[in-house]
Amino acid sequence: MSGFGDGYVGTAQDAVKIRRLEKQREAERRKIEELKNKSADGQPGLLQFGSSTSEILETAFKKETVGLVTREQYVEKRVNIRTKIEEEEKEKLQKLQQEEEELQMQKRKKRRVKGDPRLSFFDDIENGSDEDDFENQETQKKNGPVKLGKDPTVETSFLPDREREAEEQAERERLKKQWLREQELIKNEPLSITYSYWDGTGHRRAIQVRKGDTIGEFLRAVQQQLAPEFREVRTTSVENLLYVKEDLIIPHQHSFYELIINKARGKSGPLFHFDVHEDVRTIADATKEKDESHAGKVVERHWYEKNKHIFPASRWEIYDPTKKWERYTIHGD
């Protein structure tokens, strides 16, 4: 067959099979030429090129029965010639089978040396035999489809990965639990608070609570501390006590922990410092925040309602976490 460029549109696998058939035909032509040469040289042998088995048998039988022969000799010679021809054909077939086995063995050895099992098309190109294709198909049925290796240098972090996502989720849960444990430890830390019971004049006291306590729990402890000295505190309820810090009335449900972690601020200072200190800088700087903390006031509600139009109660407002008071804590404002 000529080249594949004259209108050939088959696949690469078809081209491989065509080349394989051409090689087989070329080998057959070489064998035919060898047999012709042997016949022309007059080499011994009963088989001749181009003759069928019956023709060969008749030719050999005529040579052996020249002249007069008895019937028994005639039958015996014919049987002997047929047996001899069959034996030679059998030997020839065995030789061909042996050559084929040796060729297959060489192909298998070559495949073991050069073959890459990860390339599914390697056997077609290198060995080029239908038997190999069949063997490969049988192997794939037994072992499953061949899997190609991964390139470790390719960036794959952007691809979905169930294992990685599960690990990240587990790590987030671990960090969350760790953070919650740390916050519980912070909430249980002691907190010293300096406050002043205000009934028109100040009565400064100090008390210790936990950072996680609410304002309501703090006022209950204050009531117990002040009850022996102040009858109006002793006879009122905790709900009628107010805590005023930096001119803001802090509702009972808020906790000291909340004020601390949010860095809450009031009109005249931070709500997350509970000691008493003043800004001792000698030079005022309008770009820097005041560093002052004033004692919070504990007030009985009846007194507040009666005097809320009078300073300092006239400055007090309800604390709103969404409202910002930084402008009251800067020099020069």
Side-chain angles (χ1 to χ4, degrees):
M1 180 177 284
S2 60
F4 305 119
D6 299 333
Y8 179 74
V9 293
T11 64
Q13 188 173 7
D14 293 335
V16 171
K17 290 182 178 179
I18 290 171
R19 286 196 294 269
R20 183 169 65 249
L21 291 174
E22 285 185 342
K23 291 180 180 179
Q24 291 177 354
R25 289 171 182 164
E26 183 63 28
E28 291 175 357
R29 284 196 292 268
R30 286 198 298 269
K31 289 181 180 180
I32 291 171
E33 292 296 331
E34 291 177 0
L35 291 174
K36 285 183 177 180
N37 294 334
K38 289 180 180 179
S39 178
D41 294 339
Q43 293 181 357
L46 295 175
L47 296 180
Q48 297 182 15
F49 173 73
S51 301
S52 64
T53 304
S54 59
E55 292 175 347
I56 296 171
L57 177 62
E58 289 299 328
T59 302
F61 181 69
K62 288 177 181 179
K63 291 181 179 180
E64 292 293 330
T65 56
V66 176
L68 296 175
V69 293
T70 63
R71 183 175 182 277
E72 290 78 8
Q73 290 175 338
Y74 179 88
V75 173
E76 183 181 359
K77 288 181 180 293
R78 190 172 186 85
V79 170
N80 291 339
I81 290 172
R82 178 178 292 277
T83 302
K84 189 172 183 180
I85 292 174
E86 289 177 352
E87 289 178 354
E88 288 189 2
E89 289 181 345
K90 185 176 180 180
E91 290 177 0
K92 181 180 178 182
L93 179 61
Q94 290 177 350
K95 185 177 180 181
L96 291 174
Q97 290 178 347
Q98 185 177 359
E99 290 178 355
E100 182 66 20
E101 290 177 358
E102 291 177 355
L103 180 61
Q104 293 297 329
M105 182 67 69
Q106 292 176 359
K107 290 180 179 180
R108 283 195 291 270
K109 288 181 179 180
K110 184 184 293 185
R111 185 165 60 250
R112 282 197 295 268
V113 173
K114 296 184 178 180
D116 188 346
R118 293 178 297 175
L119 300 179
S120 59
F121 55 84
F122 180 82
D123 290 338
D124 289 339
I125 297 174
E126 184 67 23
N127 301 313
S129 64
D130 293 335
E131 293 81 0
D132 290 342
D133 293 341
F134 178 76
E135 290 177 2
N136 292 336
Q137 292 174 1
E138 291 298 322
T139 303
Q140 289 185 3
K141 288 179 181 178
K142 294 179 181 178
N143 302 331
V146 178
K147 295 183 179 180
L148 300 180
K150 296 181 179 179
D151 187 350
T153 62
V154 175
E155 177 63 31
T156 59
S157 60
F158 61 91
L159 296 176
D161 189 328
R162 291 184 180 179
E163 293 183 1
R164 184 177 68 242
E165 291 174 358
E167 291 176 358
E168 291 176 354
Q169 181 63 28
E171 181 65 13
R172 283 194 291 269
E173 291 295 329
R174 186 188 69 79
L175 293 175
K176 179 180 178 181
K177 291 179 181 179
Q178 180 181 347
W179 184 84
L180 291 175
R181 286 195 300 268
E182 291 174 354
Q183 300 312 302
E184 286 299 320
L185 292 175
I186 293 174
K187 290 179 181 180
N188 288 320
E189 290 178 358
L191 177 65
S192 297
I193 299 177
T194 300
Y195 71 94
S196 177
Y197 173 61
W198 188 263
D199 57 359
T201 59
H203 307 277
R204 184 168 292 186
R205 299 287 188 275
I207 194 171
Q208 189 174 83
V209 295
R210 295 182 309 115
K211 289 182 179 180
D213 288 347
T214 63
I215 301 300
E217 292 170 335
F218 159 70
L219 290 174
R220 187 179 302 279
V222 167
Q223 183 188 35
Q224 294 175 359
Q225 187 181 47
L226 296 178
E229 300 181 48
F230 302 96
R231 189 175 72 85
E232 65 275 17
V233 175
R234 185 169 61 251
T235 58
T236 192
S237 64
V238 175
E239 288 74 17
N240 287 325
L241 293 178
L242 305 177
Y243 179 57
V244 183
K245 175 69 171 165
E246 307 299 345
D247 293 330
L248 294 180
I249 301 172
I250 313 297
H252 288 198
Q253 70 270 17
H254 294 289
S255 67
F256 295 105
Y257 170 80
E258 176 186 340
L259 299 174
I260 292 170
I261 64 170
N262 291 327
K263 300 291 183 180
R265 300 185 181 279
K267 287 185 175 184
S268 55
L271 298 179
F272 51 88
H273 289 322
F274 302 97
D275 58 347
V276 177
H277 63 270
E278 297 181 356
D279 192 337
V280 296
R281 289 179 296 182
T282 58
I283 300 176
D285 187 349
T287 63
K288 293 186 178 180
E289 187 177 357
K290 283 184 179 181
D291 185 21
E292 292 182 350
S293 178
H294 309 96
K297 295 178 177 63
V298 175
V299 182
E300 200 271 325
R301 187 184 296 274
H302 176 72
W303 183 94
Y304 171 69
E305 294 295 339
K306 183 178 178 181
N307 299 279
K308 62 181 178 181
H309 62 287
I310 303 172
F311 183 85
S314 60
R315 280 180 50 84
W316 299 349
E317 298 181 24
I318 302 296
Y319 169 67
D320 181 2
T322 64
K323 191 172 183 179
K324 304 300 181 183
W325 296 102
E326 283 84 347
R327 62 193 183 93
Y328 292 101
T329 59
I330 302 294
H331 279 290
D333 241 2

